[in-house]
Amino acid sequence: MKPLTAHGKAILFGEHSVVYGHPALAMAIEDALCATRVTARPGGVKVHVPAWGLVCDDGADSKIAEALRLLESLLPGSGGMDLEVASSIPMGAGLGSSAALSVLLVKALAHVRGMDLDLTCVRNTAHALERVFHGNPSGLDDATATYGGLCLFHKGGADRLPFAEQLDTQIHRLHLDPPPLVVADSLVKRSTAEKVAWVRRLREEDPALVERAFLAMTEALFSGVEAIRTRDRQALGRAMNTCHKALSDLGLSCPELDRMVEVACSAGAYGAKVTGAGGGGCIIAFAPGREEAVKQALETAGFPAFTIQKEGWI
Ligand code: PMV
């Protein structure tokens, strides 16, 4: 049997603005989570992710336990499972760990209960679990965790582009080579729900400031998509820097993230930005052909780094 997997994600453009109906572009960290053991058991679900130090069962008093109970009630049939998961991404650092875990939980319990779910059903169920983790997620993370590739997401209906395949009403997969990226972790912990609430409050207090930042991000997204299509490295780097500045204006950067962006660009990246909810977590840097130098510089500065999508673009 093919191993059960789910994708992580790095948001290239549109985090936060996507919650308010603007488009966003994410690229999958392919198969970031992989089930290493799935064993059926008569009742209850237990999950173990050694890389995250996470062990949880559905009787516990936590968000994950709540999500496990919801999962058991949403999928038809009966029976539980013991699931062990290997992860190549950190937890809670802006790389879609909770959405990836949600997708993998759905696939694994469906497998144990003898069901063959289509991807729309996997995504919809994972979205319900994501609501337990984050309150009112846009759906970008669970869509990318389910479908993989380079995903253009738009809540109000996906935009029509000639090089895109429509996957559902909200999402298109772009048939373009995803850019190679260096990902680095600030090791600063933050909560997605808190950062989303922060932007909501800011939007109530100063709607013009927030709208300006969202518009800058949407413009950067369309320049970025065009730059990916034409392989214009400078333009893609510029678009990423614009997006980082806009997120910074919304108070979603922090000294560590700003320093990482600076270190990455000084070491040769064309552009870099915070990715995900911000205020901590990860940055992504675009440095085709210079990944090793950028990764080294970030690690020397104390930030663990890795590369995704190394081939292509060279
Ligand atoms: O930091 P993450 O991986 O949880 O990503 C959050 C992305 C947001 O746009 C901030 C929220 C959302 O629901 O899309």
Side-chain angles (χ1 to χ4, degrees), residues 9 11 14-19 24 92-99 127 130 134 136-142 153 155 190-193 195-196 199 247 252 275-278 280-281:
K9 64 99 218 319
I11 300 178
E15 46 274 271
H16 289 285
S17 57
V18 69
V19 174
L95 302 180
S97 54
S98 66
H127 185 73
E130 271 283 87
H134 296 308
N136 191 19
S138 63
L140 169 66
D141 285 19
D142 45 80
F153 180 91
K155 251 184 173 178
R190 86 292 180 277
S191 127
T192 299
K195 292 297 158 192
V196 170
V199 174
L247 289 164
L252 295 165
T275 189

Side-chain angles (χ1 to χ4, degrees), residues 8-32:
K9 64 99 218 319
I11 300 178
L12 284 159
F13 301 103
E15 46 274 271
H16 289 285
S17 57
V18 69
V19 174
Y20 298 91
H22 294 268
L25 182 69
M27 100 183 218
I29 303 178
E30 302 284 335
D31 301 325

Side-chain angles (χ1 to χ4, degrees), residues 165-269:
E165 165 199 0
Q166 184 149 16
L167 298 174
D168 70 31
T169 50
Q170 298 179 323
I171 193 146
H172 272 106
R173 179 183 289 134
L174 302 191
H175 290 297
L176 301 173
D177 287 336
L181 296 177
V182 179
V183 182
D185 190 351
S186 68
L187 303 177
V188 176
K189 292 287 163 215
R190 86 292 180 277
S191 127
T192 299
E194 276 169 27
K195 292 297 158 192
V196 170
W198 162 269
V199 174
R200 175 153 300 122
R201 270 198 307 278
L202 192 63
R203 193 162 171 267
E204 277 157 19
E205 283 162 20
D206 195 343
L209 170 94
V210 174
E211 218 32 55
R212 239 186 346 266
F214 284 176
L215 279 180
M217 282 159 64
T218 300
E219 274 172 27
L221 179 147
F222 286 109
S223 319
V225 170
E226 183 57 13
I228 293 171
R229 192 183 70 78
T230 57
R231 299 256 177 132
D232 184 335
R233 297 170 181 209
Q234 263 87 13
L236 180 55
R238 264 197 313 275
M240 287 171 69
N241 290 337
T242 302
C243 195
H244 183 73
K245 161 93 177 49
L247 289 164
S248 248
D249 291 345
L250 296 177
L252 295 165
S253 190
C254 67
E256 289 83 354
L257 293 170
D258 284 341
R259 170 142 167 67
M260 291 161 85
V261 165
E262 208 180 286
V263 167
C265 292
S266 303

Side-chain angles (χ1 to χ4, degrees), residues 40 81 90 262 273:
M81 65 173 174
E262 208 180 286
K273 66 178 276 289

